[in-house]
Amino acid sequence: MEYQLNRIRIWIEDDYAALSKRAADIIKNQVDAMPNTVLGLATGSTPEGTYSELVRLYKTGAVDFSKVVSFNLDEYFPIKKTNEQSYYYFMRKHLFDNVNISEANTHIPNGEAEDRVAECDAYDKKIASYGGVDLQLLGIGGNGHIGFNEPSDVFVAGTHHIELDASTIEANARFFASTEDVPKHSLTMGIRTIMSAKRILLLASGSGKAEAIHKTIFGDITPKVPASVLQLHPDATIILDKEAARLIVGKLS
Ligand code: PGA
């Protein structure tokens, strides 16, 4: 089912597979219409199905990434590219190594940077040099974060270094041997970087995201729920499965 709420388009799909297919179709259509699209990409469990569907579409010849440029939202800091939990590693495994995107066109904040401030500045300049992101894919944290913009008293504009929330470390510990092994910091696109994207596509799956989604769509616009800022975006789409939509279905018509 599709709903329009103010300026946010909301799709509620039966399950994770349908959500992933919907997201991949939107990305494929964007790339078809504009082969040199600048994609903003996300990591985490949620977009994995979208990436496998895009890989499937690519293998059937349905989509061509040869001119696509990508910028990932964030990366742990510090982290080696060879670390299997780095987002550098994740993107190669789930997408880049399986489609015809040119490695030179892929960008991820450098978790090995010696000067993290210079790395963040350079990242924003690089995005701007491509004319900005055309379509930004986002997940959402159970705490409402987008990228690693954690709940806070302020919105931070540009790409920056941030200390991860205890709840994020806890949530991501499932990928590491122990909670202590989760990096405590990251480099992340800021709210201005994200909001400058021409289109936004946020995905959420499972009941653990239901409260964050309710606050994002119906709550106050506040840095305490970073995703709530999407209410101000002129072209934002949110794709949910039934569980993530649990607290909002009764309020949509
Ligand atoms: P997840 O993470 O997709 O692994 O739930 C999303 C996020 O934290 O942004």
Side-chain angles (χ1 to χ4, degrees):
M1 281 290 280
E2 185 189 3
Y3 303 89
Q4 186 80 32
L5 192 85
N6 301 322
R7 286 185 290 180
I8 303 184
R9 185 172 304 115
I10 302 166
W11 290 94
I12 302 180
E13 304 293 344
D14 281 344
D15 54 25
Y16 178 68
L19 172 159
S20 302
K21 193 169 169 349
R22 174 81 58 200
D25 280 349
I26 290 173
I27 295 169
K28 171 195 148 31
N29 290 339
Q30 168 72 34
V31 173
D32 283 353
M34 188 184 172
N36 61 347
T37 288
V38 180
L39 287 179
L41 297 176
T43 50
S45 304
T46 314
E48 279 185 22
T50 305
Y51 295 147
S52 18
E53 179 63 10
L54 283 171
V55 169
R56 193 191 66 76
L57 289 169
Y58 167 71
K59 290 192 168 147
T60 66
V63 61
D64 174 16
F65 290 91
S66 61
K67 297 196 174 62
V68 168
V69 172
S70 73
F71 284 91
N72 266 76
L73 273 172
D74 49 19
E75 175 63 282
Y76 290 119
F77 190 87
I79 198 162
K80 293 252 181 270
K81 293 187 170 104
T82 48
N83 186 322
E84 292 186 15
Q85 296 311 329
S86 73
Y87 291 162
Y88 179 91
Y89 194 97
F90 175 104
M91 288 310 300
R92 265 149 194 80
K93 177 172 169 201
H94 291 283
L95 187 66
F96 298 159
D97 284 352
N98 309 319
V99 298
N100 66 337
I101 196 164
S102 147
E103 180 164 7
N105 286 350
T106 64
H107 306 89
I108 302 179
N110 183 5
E112 300 179 2
E114 278 181 20
D115 182 341
R116 62 196 197 200
V117 175
E119 171 64 18
C120 291
D121 286 352
Y123 202 68
D124 279 336
K125 289 201 177 97
K126 191 96 185 184
I127 294 172
S129 76
Y130 281 94
V133 170
D134 293 301
L135 175 63
Q136 176 69 56
L137 185 62
L138 295 176
I140 183 171
N143 64 2
H145 75 198
I146 46 177
F148 274 130
N149 291 274
E150 302 286 25
S152 155
D153 292 333
V154 289
F155 286 123
V156 180
T159 299
H160 58 285
H161 174 260
I162 189 168
E163 188 174 350
L164 300 183
D165 224 41
S167 68
T168 299
I169 292 172
E170 184 82 7
N172 291 5
R174 67 192 194 276
F175 300 115
F176 292 83
S178 75
T179 309
E180 287 67 49
D181 291 337
V182 184
K184 307 291 179 282
H185 295 82
S186 79
L187 305 181
T188 180
M189 282 188 195
I191 294 297
R192 182 193 57 222
T193 326
I194 293 171
M195 288 292 281
S196 300
K198 294 174 190 76
R199 298 173 72 192
I200 303 252
L201 183 58
L202 182 143
L203 314 179
S205 166
S207 62
K209 302 293 170 69
E211 199 178 324
I213 285 296
H214 181 263
K215 288 185 186 157
T216 294
I217 296 173
F218 289 104
D220 292 341
I221 298 168
T222 165
K224 295 191 187 318
V225 183
S228 63
V229 76
L230 299 181
Q231 292 178 39
L232 298 174
H233 197 278
D235 191 351
T237 298
I238 297 183
I239 311 180
L240 306 169
D241 60 12
K242 282 188 171 152
E243 289 169 359
R246 183 168 54 86
L247 300 176
I248 65 162
V249 270
K251 297 188 172 185
L252 300 169
S253 54

